[in-house]
Amino acid sequence: MPEEALVVKRLKASGKYVEDANMPSVLIRLDPGRMENPDTDLRYVVPDRLTELSSGILTDSGYDYEEGTDAMLIYLSTDNLDAALHFVIELLENEMIYENRLADSARVGASLLDETERPADFAVVYPSAEAGTRMG
């Protein structure tokens, strides 16, 4: 079973996942200190590329910068968390954007709360070594 499907399965088993009750959120945290070419345009390019790759399963919900660091926080919404996480991980691991392999600088979190902006509301799903910890 793919890693992203296991995360959703655990959330469903916990009783905290209700299909169609809200629109789950995805948070991508990018650390510019771990990039070859950090570029603020990533805040637009990454969500646009994910919307394109996923045929609209993922939609842009904005961006922010992590308090106390230079990390960029990219927020996305989806109505299909299983599929969405697959597209996010695929992009991070297999595409070069502005000379960056984003997997080297990324953490990805998922939240069942609709439109949340608090990183602490997101559980890490990528990289797998950090899965289950809180983003913030």
Side-chain angles (χ1 to χ4, degrees), residues 6-70:
L6 287 172
V7 170
V8 174
K9 185 176 179 179
R10 278 187 239 134
L11 290 171
K12 287 179 179 180
S14 73
K16 296 178 184 175
Y17 187 93
V18 180
E19 202 76 48
D20 296 328
N22 57 23
M23 191 165 227
S25 299
V26 176
L27 171 59
I28 302 172
R29 180 190 183 275
L30 298 175
D31 181 350
R34 301 183 73 184
M35 291 184 201
E36 282 293 315
N37 182 28
D39 191 311
T40 57
D41 281 350
L42 288 167
R43 65 185 178 229
Y44 305 117
V45 173
V46 170
D48 289 350
R49 181 67 182 128
L50 284 167
T51 298
E52 177 186 349
L53 277 175
S54 71
S55 299
I57 290 172
L58 283 155
T59 57
D60 187 353
S61 287
Y63 72 92
D64 201 354
Y65 293 94
E66 187 175 70
E67 193 173 311
T69 74
D70 292 330

Side-chain angles (χ1 to χ4, degrees), residues 63-116:
Y63 72 92
D64 201 354
Y65 293 94
E66 187 175 70
E67 193 173 311
T69 74
D70 292 330
M72 181 182 296
L73 305 174
I74 299 172
Y75 295 91
L76 302 144
S77 294
T78 185
D79 59 2
N80 185 339
L81 193 56
D82 282 323
L85 291 174
H86 168 77
F87 288 112
V88 171
I89 293 168
E90 188 73 22
L91 173 95
L92 295 174
E93 292 185 345
N94 298 311
E95 291 198 22
M96 296 291 287
I97 300 179
Y98 295 147
E99 303 172 28
N100 297 297
R101 180 179 178 271
L102 297 178
D104 299 334
S105 65
R107 287 176 66 207
V108 178
S111 175
L112 300 178
L113 301 174
D114 192 21
E115 299 290 320
T116 186

